[in-house]
Amino acid sequence: MKLPNLFRKNPHVIGLALSGGATHGAAHIGVLKALESEGIHPNCVAGTSAGALIGAAYCAGVPIAEIERLFLELDWPDLLRFTIKPKLSFFDAQPLEYFLKTKIGDLKFSDLKIPFAAIACDITTGERIVLDKGPLATAIRASSAFPALFPPVEVENRILIDGGIIDNLPVEQVRAMGATLTIGSDVSRRSRKMKTPENPIEVLFSAIYIMQDRSAYFSADDCDFLIQPDIAEYSAWGFKHAEKMVDAGQVATEKILPNLSKRIKGKTPFSVRSFLQP
């Protein structure tokens, strides 16, 4: 049941941070579906890698049902192609930019309906780079440029790679954008027992996840509401389980909705730990 007027007088500025996680990003769609079902609409969004892709589409005004349809119909040939003469990567990601411009639109950040920022990393300095102006598709491609697999992207004389290397869940960014209440959707942190890798790319993803857990820019204490969908059993390098991951994102979000709704309506005193998903 939709409650479109429930939060009309919401005093909070709601910020949503969407993590990277390759095809695990499908779970973000379920998170957005659950939030919208309760009439909860973020006032600003920041995303890294897959989170940048989902977040940009949402902030551009693409309906959640359409984002879900696009994601469920995706396959890697839609987003990349193998390069015969690899220099800095094994794949050419230009198809991703073409896909974004075709499905979302050839937009700039200034065209978006909701303020949005994407996170990338400068490969030459290790700096965390916030992308919040200029062409949207280029920024998403930069934020999603997973090292060695996808080519770095040059933006304003910087060579940028996947933002998950430096800030995989940009909670601090939505706070910098004015959020007074932060929601984090983390689809990269896995359970202690992860799916056994079946190919070299899955080995690389698993190694990156472990690195992120050991040296995270983000701490759970920084986030008012942390959502961690149960998707450890699914590969982050494939789309065949996308529908199940969407469902997992929705289920995980529904668990925190009662406390989130109370907080938004000002009926529950603030305590970070009480809002973390069990």
Side-chain angles (χ1 to χ4, degrees):
M1 181 175 119
K2 294 198 173 187
L3 303 172
N5 298 317
L6 182 60
F7 303 110
R8 182 168 291 176
K9 296 182 180 180
N10 170 29
H12 295 286
V13 176
I14 302 173
L16 176 64
L18 303 175
S19 81
T23 55
H24 282 165
H28 291 318
I29 299 170
V31 171
L32 287 166
K33 288 175 66 176
L35 292 176
E36 286 214 334
S37 73
E38 289 297 307
I40 301 173
H41 304 282
N43 302 108
C44 58
V45 179
T48 297
S49 197
L53 172 59
I54 301 297
Y58 179 76
C59 292
V62 180
I64 297 297
E66 179 66 8
I67 297 174
E68 182 177 13
R69 185 188 68 78
L70 290 173
F71 207 94
L72 294 182
E73 293 178 355
L74 270 179
D75 206 348
W76 285 119
D78 299 316
L79 305 179
L80 52 89
R81 59 174 173 256
F82 189 76
T83 179
I84 299 175
K85 297 180 179 180
K87 184 178 179 182
L88 297 178
S89 68
F90 294 107
F91 296 98
D92 175 4
Q94 285 295 336
L96 170 59
E97 187 152 354
Y98 175 78
F99 174 85
L100 293 170
K101 290 179 179 179
T102 302
K103 303 300 183 181
I104 298 178
D106 190 5
L107 304 176
K108 294 183 178 180
F109 279 86
S110 57
D111 298 321
L112 299 178
K113 299 179 182 297
I114 300 170
F116 172 71
I119 304 299
C121 177
D122 186 323
I123 189 62
T124 62
T125 66
E127 291 178 81
R128 172 181 175 271
I129 304 300
V130 177
L131 301 170
D132 57 4
K133 61 181 181 295
L136 185 65
T138 301
I140 297 170
R141 192 158 63 87
S143 182
S144 307
F146 198 86
L149 297 182
F150 311 124
V153 178
E154 184 174 350
V155 178
E156 296 184 351
N157 297 317
R158 289 182 178 272
I159 306 301
L160 305 182
I161 61 171
D162 195 305
I165 301 298
I166 188 70
D167 183 9
N168 199 48
L169 184 61
V171 175
E172 286 303 318
Q173 183 55 37
V174 290
R175 189 171 285 118
M177 296 166 74
T180 59
L181 187 154
T182 56
I183 303 169
S185 176
D186 188 353
V187 301
S188 67
R189 298 193 175 198
R190 315 282 290 280
S191 63
R192 290 185 178 273
K193 179 65 174 177
M194 297 187 290
K195 176 186 178 296
T196 301
E198 297 178 355
N199 56 61
I201 294 176
E202 289 188 354
V203 171
L204 181 56
F205 275 119
S206 294
I208 292 292
Y209 284 156
I210 292 169
M211 179 192 72
Q212 289 169 343
D213 276 345
R214 298 296 185 272
S215 58
Y217 183 91
F218 162 80
S219 165
D221 289 338
D222 296 331
C223 188
D224 296 334
F225 293 86
L226 181 61
I227 302 166
Q228 294 178 298
D230 184 8
I231 52 178
E233 65 183 288
Y234 307 122
S235 170
W237 182 254
F239 291 93
K240 67 178 181 179
H241 293 124
E243 188 169 4
K244 292 181 179 179
M245 290 188 278
V246 171
D247 292 341
Q250 192 161 0
V251 168
T253 306
E254 288 169 351
K255 291 180 181 179
I256 61 98
L257 280 178
N259 279 335
L260 176 59
S261 298
K262 290 177 182 177
R263 173 74 190 283
I264 289 175
K265 291 185 289 185
K267 294 185 178 181
T268 302
F270 172 66
S271 172
V272 170
R273 290 296 181 189
S274 69
F275 296 123
L276 295 180
Q277 180 184 321

